[in-house]
Amino acid sequence: MSSCLGPPPAATALAPVSAPAMTTLRAREDREQADRIALSAATTRGAHLRTEDVRAWLAERRRAHVFQVDRIPFAELDAWEFEHGTGNLVHRSGRFFTVEGMHVVEHDGPYGDGPYREWEQPVIRQPEVGILGILAKELDGVLHFLMQAKMEPGNHNLLQLSPTVQATRSNYTRAHRGMDVKLLDHFVRPDPERVLVDVLQSEQGSWFFHKSNRNMLVETVDEVPELDDFRWLTLGQIARLLHEDDMVNMNARTVLSCVPYPDTTPGALLSDAQLLSWFTGERTRHDVRVRRIPLASVRGWKHGVETIEHEDGRYFKVAAVSVRAGNREVVGWTQPLIEPVGMGVSAFLVREIGGVPHVLVHARAEGGFLDTVELGPTVQCTPGNYAHLPAADRPPFLDAVLEAPASRIRYQAVHSEEGGRFLNARSRYLAVEADPSVVPLDPPPDYAWATPAQLRALTRHGHYLNVEARTLLACLNAVAARTREGM
Amino acid sequence: MSSCLGPPPAATALAPVSAPAMTTLRAREDREQADRIALSAATTRGAHLRTEDVRAWLAERRRAHVFQVDRIPFAELDAWEFEHGTGNLVHRSGRFFTVEGMHVVEHDGPYGDGPYREWEQPVIRQPEVGILGILAKELDGVLHFLMQAKMEPGNHNLLQLSPTVQATRSNYTRAHRGMDVKLLDHFVRPDPERVLVDVLQSEQGSWFFHKSNRNMLVETVDEVPELDDFRWLTLGQIARLLHEDDMVNMNARTVLSCVPYPDTTPGALLSDAQLLSWFTGERTRHDVRVRRIPLASVRGWKHGVETIEHEDGRYFKVAAVSVRAGNREVVGWTQPLIEPVGMGVSAFLVREIGGVPHVLVHARAEGGFLDTVELGPTVQCTPGNYAHLPAADRPPFLDAVLEAPASRIRYQAVHSEEGGRFLNARSRYLAVEADPSVVPLDPPPDYAWATPAQLRALTRHGHYLNVEARTLLACLNAVAARTREGM
């Protein structure tokens, strides 16, 4: 039918009268790149470091540096102060970040992750967009990724595998020392021919106000000097490491979630248009009004000598630490961190539909999101925060996750959240096979079944998947690679 | 190479052990739908109303109703008042919208559309998400779209072709009268099998604070009663009407810009990934800090009896009108409107690259955008606002548009902006063939060449194309349809 319609809209009608330029067009999608990514995912023996030696290498890097993190009272913070009037916790230079207050109202709420439709809380505000960049390079014909052994003060084990570069705007727009600049340049001035991932993604909406970072994966053909704190690993190696606790840091996981793996699945329960329409409906339905308020005015939180904490001891604390780190040159600083109360749980329920695995995503409101809701895991919470509530007010599907027998657990590992802002913030990430009798094909309105391929397509854009869902997506890719390895 | 890699990530590895469900999968993209849209675009003879009779029908509908709009002093506004303390212009019910103040700082700016890096201005705030919905139905085997002859007080010709439904959240969550409810139901409770477009899109970032509406196109197979103010038109008919001045209203144009026409062009200057990477870089580079401030505190604006206006008479005024409208039952109300000073210009420069027309999009910061920058036309401004400035401070490419000879103009028409909020807000929309000696293939950093097909793909998501670029995209589709018609 369509063949008789002539040219498609705008394809030829706008053609100018001037002579056509000789410029070559690119295909809108790069299919060869997808093959190269799949090859890296299938390669579990790296060109440099063996996967089983990564832990020893990290231990060696830990020994090579001084790392000391101590809790301190707020009064011992250096150059940080509670601002006169607002009580906001700020750095005297105006740089880094601030701890302020946030007032949230869920109109027509609450929206299902607790019984509250209005609350106040402390929140980290850091309006600058940072760069999280992983450098890629072909070694022996296979894409490898340059991972850094990086200390972050909030990590209980201090050192984890991080992106090649983690830089705030202040870092990358000002002067730097030696090597960092050269690595940074791949991301600050990326070669358009070699960018594999480049997208702004949100971070924790319960702890950050409107935070997003630029997630980048850039290939190079240049010589990259060998550096003590950096190693090249394949996607297949990283997949294995994603099965270990507290090994791959949050910044690395979010970049990895955006890797454009090919999709060869035959379809999905919902078409892409239907999935987006459901999401638009959820974003429209959730009328969340958020305003920043002075930290001093936040109701329900107690300001102590060492912490700011919730009156009932729930949710999180604002704390302060002093840090000493370095190898030849030891540097020290102090900073606030947010410390959650208890370990979190983030889980996808998984179900095969029409022969293709689907995960149950949740349209989830968090006060710090730029735009109302994003797609989160089926379950995302700190169970202890709900222990005092009647069953009806606990998060849906929490029991289905917590009580799942081992035979239904497809993936699990404990991962740390961003150790530069959060202290001992750990969550158990799971993929749990859904019991069809408990979890219907036609889920509640704020839930939808989507395939991992559909979620990967959404990571090309910001504000769709929250950071916990992106960690799980990176883990699902890892499960796939691991399974393939065993075949 | 990829064939030896085994199954793709997450395709089979998560497969649960339970028996597979018998549910049928959908293809992620609906190709048949694209053909049906192309057929409607190629059909210029509608099943009901002839295109050449639309103007007479609109005139008849105008005669059938009482429509009277008069300017009034603010003191004669009924139920609207300047709020004590803030001076914000608010409705006593708390409904509708408010006129407040906005303070904008472009860090490291200004960003190229004027010499200012910090300013204050009045702005309309309306946090609710409304619905702009067009109903579609096959008549004689061709998709037709139900357009409404709708009065809006800000339109100088009052009546224009509008979507089937324009409803604020208050409209659609409360009680209504008769017919409207039935039409509204197609959008408030859409049948997932029949949604063609469903996306939140931004509106004017210079006049609105964080405004977005839900753009919807929903098909029905139900009987739809014939109504005096509604007519079914094909995309081909609407394309012809988009060549007429002040005929198709802004709300209709934005929905039409999202219509998923098929793409059969062979490629583009930039791959989709490259275009998105450029956009991510621009969003990162533009550090725009915006805060709401009380209207009473806005510096540089004079508060008069009938208007709030800029000290130098530039930009826009806040004004007030009284409205009487209706047929059998005449209703009256009063409301504020924003009245721009002078007619705007919104233009795409167009250039054929590798045999495919491209348009030059601009990563444009507007204070009211939710997220820093969106893609705007090559030129978007009210020229009078820049007349007092030296040439270097005028918008780039403005002269290339204003001085283009007729032979280079591929499209032009005057369209009205939203007549429910803006008074006599009219812009000349143009597509102008670029002079290659003036407009390079490698444009300044905040500009990029993209194909209309690439822009259409971006309209599946919000916060990429601003409302002026979307109007132009709808017009580009119309140019294509018009040309085909002559073949």
Side-chain angles (χ1 to χ4, degrees):
Chain A
M1 186 205 271
S2 63
S3 59
C4 63
L5 297 178
T12 60
L14 288 168
V17 290
S18 58
M22 290 298 100
T23 311
T24 310
L25 296 182
R26 285 178 183 82
R28 287 178 53 192
E29 301 292 337
D30 181 348
R31 307 215 180 278
E32 192 202 337
Q33 186 185 83
D35 290 343
R36 297 168 67 222
I37 284 164
L39 177 63
S40 181
T43 303
T44 52
R45 179 174 291 273
H48 282 180
L49 186 66
R50 293 190 313 170
T51 313
E52 51 270 39
D53 294 338
V54 168
R55 201 166 271 282
W57 170 67
L58 280 173
E60 176 232 307
R61 296 320 304 157
R62 195 173 296 131
R63 285 190 301 270
H65 296 268
V66 170
F67 292 125
Q68 190 171 336
V69 180
D70 296 297
R71 287 171 193 270
I72 55 172
F74 292 123
E76 288 179 26
L77 280 169
D78 177 29
W80 290 84
E81 62 190 6
F82 291 100
E83 186 180 57
H84 182 70
T86 62
N88 292 341
L89 187 49
V90 303
H91 194 265
R92 278 188 206 126
S93 67
R95 290 172 61 203
F96 306 112
F97 60 91
T98 55
V99 183
E100 311 186 6
M102 167 166 89
H103 175 265
V104 184
V105 181
E106 297 182 345
H107 279 240
D108 308 325
Y111 292 124
D113 56 342
Y116 308 113
R117 71 183 71 208
E118 179 168 5
W119 71 90
E120 298 183 348
Q121 64 166 87
V123 71
I124 295 178
R125 181 159 167 268
Q126 185 178 12
E128 295 184 347
V129 174
I131 290 176
L132 309 177
I134 299 182
L135 194 63
K137 186 174 163 69
E138 263 193 16
L139 304 177
D140 301 341
V142 178
L143 279 177
H144 284 62
F145 299 82
L146 190 58
M147 306 302 289
Q148 184 180 179
K150 188 170 174 63
M151 189 281 290
E152 292 176 311
N155 292 341
H156 82 108
N157 61 345
L158 294 179
L159 223 67
Q160 299 189 3
L161 286 179
S162 308
T164 317
V165 159
Q166 302 184 169
T168 64
R169 191 185 178 94
S170 307
N171 288 154
Y172 66 76
T173 56
R174 295 176 192 194
H176 311 286
R177 296 164 301 167
M179 193 52 227
D180 280 346
V181 178
K182 211 161 169 192
L183 285 176
L184 199 52
D185 252 6
H186 290 288
F187 304 98
V188 175
R189 276 166 284 276
D191 176 353
E193 303 296 331
R194 307 202 178 277
V195 174
L196 284 81
V197 167
D198 190 359
V199 59
L200 293 181
Q201 295 287 4
S202 66
E203 301 198 348
Q204 283 81 356
S206 300
W207 300 333
F208 275 124
F209 182 80
H210 293 186
K211 177 83 191 109
S212 66
N213 275 325
R214 187 174 182 182
N215 287 233
M216 303 181 79
L217 193 53
V218 177
E219 190 178 349
T220 186
V221 290
D222 298 346
E223 202 61 41
V224 179
E226 292 194 16
L227 293 161
D228 291 343
D229 288 329
F230 294 80
R231 287 294 182 270
W232 294 102
L233 299 171
T234 66
L235 284 177
Q237 291 185 285
I238 296 169
R240 282 187 55 194
L241 296 164
L242 271 166
H243 284 78
E244 300 195 23
D245 291 351
D246 299 311
M247 171 63 82
V248 180
N249 86 347
M250 184 190 92
N251 292 334
R253 299 193 305 269
T254 171
V255 177
L256 291 167
S257 76
C258 302
V259 171
Y261 287 94
D263 173 27
T264 55
T265 50
L269 180 65
L270 303 178
S271 71
D272 286 3
Q274 289 176 332
L275 183 64
L276 287 175
S277 175
W278 164 77
F279 182 71
T280 300
E282 287 303 301
R283 199 164 253 179
T284 303
R285 185 167 72 83
H286 288 77
D287 187 0
V288 183
R289 310 281 176 93
V290 182
R291 58 188 170 88
R292 288 157 50 202
I293 57 174
L295 182 59
S297 79
V298 170
R299 285 172 297 183
W301 292 71
K302 293 184 298 188
H303 193 133
V305 172
E306 290 205 331
T307 60
I308 299 172
E309 55 183 278
H310 188 260
E311 280 172 357
D312 301 320
R314 282 193 281 274
Y315 312 119
F316 61 84
K317 302 171 186 178
V318 181
V321 295
S322 77
V323 185
R324 289 183 67 235
N327 45 9
R328 283 167 233 161
E329 184 190 2
V330 175
V331 296
W333 72 90
T334 63
Q335 68 166 94
L337 290 168
I338 277 189
E339 180 177 28
V341 174
M343 188 181 286
V345 172
S346 286
F348 270 140
L349 288 174
V350 182
R351 181 165 172 178
E352 185 169 292
I353 300 171
V356 175
H358 285 62
V359 301
L360 190 63
V361 291
H362 178 210
R364 178 178 167 86
E366 297 181 14
F369 284 158
L370 184 64
D371 199 359
T372 324
V373 300
E374 297 189 8
L375 298 181
T378 319
V379 170
Q380 175 192 324
C381 70
T382 302
N385 291 337
Y386 299 84
H388 63 296
L389 294 171
D393 286 333
R394 302 181 76 204
F397 306 118
L398 177 58
D399 292 344
V401 167
L402 296 183
E403 293 163 13
S407 63
R408 288 191 175 272
I409 295 175
R410 295 280 156 267
Y411 171 87
Q412 75 172 316
V414 173
H415 295 298
S416 298
E417 309 305 334
E418 222 266 83
R421 297 292 174 267
F422 309 126
L423 181 60
N424 301 326
R426 303 170 75 218
S427 285
R428 183 170 300 280
Y429 284 89
L430 301 107
V432 175
E433 188 195 340
D435 179 343
S437 69
V438 176
V439 189
L441 263 190
D442 184 17
D446 44 340
Y447 295 81
W449 291 105
T451 66
Q454 288 182 306
L455 300 189
R456 282 198 298 270
L458 291 179
T459 62
R460 298 185 75 168
H461 312 283
H463 307 301
Y464 278 114
L465 264 68
N466 77 354
V467 66
E468 291 84 359
R470 296 201 307 280
T471 278
L472 277 170
L473 182 58
C475 298
L476 294 183
N477 296 340
V479 172
R482 194 82 194 266
T483 308
R484 195 166 45 232
E485 184 186 350
M487 289 186 344
Chain B
M1 183 205 271
S2 66
S3 61
C4 62
L5 297 178
T12 59
L14 289 166
V17 292
S18 57
M22 290 296 102
T23 310
T24 310
L25 296 182
R26 286 176 182 82
R28 287 178 52 191
E29 301 293 336
D30 181 349
R31 309 212 179 276
E32 192 201 339
Q33 187 186 79
D35 291 343
R36 296 168 69 222
I37 283 164
L39 178 63
S40 182
T43 304
T44 53
R45 180 175 292 273
H48 282 178
L49 185 67
R50 293 191 313 170
T51 313
E52 52 269 39
D53 294 337
V54 167
R55 200 165 270 283
W57 170 65
L58 280 172
E60 176 233 308
R61 294 322 303 155
R62 194 173 297 131
R63 285 191 301 272
H65 296 268
V66 170
F67 291 127
Q68 190 172 335
V69 180
D70 295 298
R71 285 170 194 271
I72 55 171
F74 291 125
E76 288 178 25
L77 280 168
D78 178 30
W80 291 84
E81 63 189 7
F82 291 101
E83 187 180 58
H84 183 71
T86 62
N88 292 340
L89 186 49
V90 303
H91 194 267
R92 279 191 204 121
S93 68
R95 290 173 61 202
F96 306 111
F97 59 92
T98 55
V99 182
E100 311 186 4
M102 165 164 92
H103 175 265
V104 184
V105 180
E106 296 182 346
H107 279 239
D108 307 325
Y111 291 124
D113 57 342
Y116 308 114
R117 70 183 71 208
E118 179 167 7
W119 70 90
E120 298 183 349
Q121 63 165 91
V123 71
I124 296 178
R125 182 160 168 267
Q126 184 178 13
E128 294 183 348
V129 174
I131 290 176
L132 309 177
I134 300 182
L135 193 63
K137 186 175 162 70
E138 263 194 17
L139 305 177
D140 300 342
V142 177
L143 279 178
H144 283 62
F145 299 82
L146 191 59
M147 305 304 288
Q148 182 179 180
K150 186 168 176 63
M151 191 283 288
E152 292 176 313
N155 293 340
H156 82 108
N157 61 346
L158 294 178
L159 223 69
Q160 299 188 4
L161 286 180
S162 307
T164 316
V165 159
Q166 304 182 170
T168 63
R169 192 183 178 98
S170 307
N171 287 156
Y172 67 75
T173 54
R174 296 175 191 195
H176 311 283
R177 297 162 301 168
M179 191 53 224
D180 280 347
V181 179
K182 211 161 168 190
L183 285 177
L184 198 51
D185 252 5
H186 289 288
F187 303 98
V188 176
R189 276 166 284 278
D191 176 352
E193 302 296 330
R194 303 199 182 278
V195 175
L196 285 82
V197 168
D198 190 0
V199 59
L200 293 182
Q201 295 288 2
S202 66
E203 301 197 350
Q204 282 82 358
S206 300
W207 302 332
F208 276 123
F209 183 81
H210 293 187
K211 176 84 190 107
S212 66
N213 275 324
R214 186 175 183 183
N215 286 234
M216 303 181 80
L217 191 54
V218 177
E219 190 178 351
T220 184
V221 291
D222 298 345
E223 202 62 40
V224 179
E226 293 193 16
L227 293 160
D228 290 341
D229 289 328
F230 294 79
R231 288 294 182 273
W232 293 102
L233 299 171
T234 65
L235 285 178
Q237 291 185 286
I238 296 169
R240 283 188 53 193
L241 296 164
L242 272 167
H243 284 77
E244 301 196 22
D245 291 351
D246 298 311
M247 170 63 81
V248 181
N249 85 350
M250 183 189 93
N251 291 335
R253 297 193 305 269
T254 172
V255 177
L256 291 166
S257 76
C258 304
V259 171
Y261 288 94
D263 174 27
T264 56
T265 50
L269 179 65
L270 303 179
S271 72
D272 286 4
Q274 289 177 331
L275 183 64
L276 288 174
S277 175
W278 164 78
F279 182 71
T280 300
E282 287 302 302
R283 199 163 254 177
T284 302
R285 186 168 70 85
H286 288 77
D287 185 1
V288 184
R289 309 281 175 92
V290 183
R291 58 189 171 88
R292 288 159 50 204
I293 57 175
L295 182 58
S297 78
V298 171
R299 287 172 296 180
W301 293 71
K302 293 184 300 189
H303 193 134
V305 173
E306 290 205 330
T307 60
I308 299 171
E309 57 185 274
H310 188 259
E311 280 170 358
D312 300 320
R314 282 193 282 272
Y315 311 119
F316 62 82
K317 302 170 184 176
V318 182
V321 295
S322 79
V323 186
R324 290 183 65 236
N327 47 7
R328 284 167 231 159
E329 184 190 359
V330 175
V331 296
W333 73 89
T334 63
Q335 69 167 94
L337 290 168
I338 276 190
E339 180 178 26
V341 174
M343 187 181 285
V345 172
S346 285
F348 268 141
L349 287 175
V350 182
R351 181 166 171 174
E352 184 170 289
I353 300 170
V356 175
H358 285 63
V359 300
L360 190 63
V361 291
H362 178 210
R364 182 181 163 85
E366 299 182 12
F369 284 157
L370 183 64
D371 198 358
T372 324
V373 299
E374 296 190 8
L375 298 180
T378 319
V379 170
Q380 175 192 325
C381 70
T382 301
N385 291 336
Y386 298 85
H388 64 297
L389 294 171
D393 285 335
R394 302 180 75 202
F397 305 117
L398 177 58
D399 292 343
V401 167
L402 296 182
E403 293 164 12
S407 62
R408 287 190 176 274
I409 294 176
R410 297 281 156 265
Y411 171 87
Q412 74 171 315
V414 173
H415 295 299
S416 298
E417 308 306 332
E418 223 264 81
R421 297 292 174 269
F422 308 126
L423 181 60
N424 301 325
R426 303 171 74 217
S427 286
R428 182 171 301 280
Y429 283 90
L430 301 107
V432 176
E433 187 197 336
D435 178 343
S437 69
V438 176
V439 189
L441 264 188
D442 184 18
D446 43 340
Y447 294 83
W449 291 105
T451 67
Q454 288 181 307
L455 300 188
R456 284 198 296 272
L458 291 178
T459 63
R460 299 185 76 169
H461 313 283
H463 307 301
Y464 278 115
L465 266 67
N466 78 352
V467 67
E468 291 84 0
R470 298 201 307 279
T471 277
L472 277 171
L473 183 58
C475 298
L476 294 183
N477 295 340
V479 172
R482 194 82 192 269
T483 308
R484 195 166 46 234
E485 184 186 347
M487 292 187 343

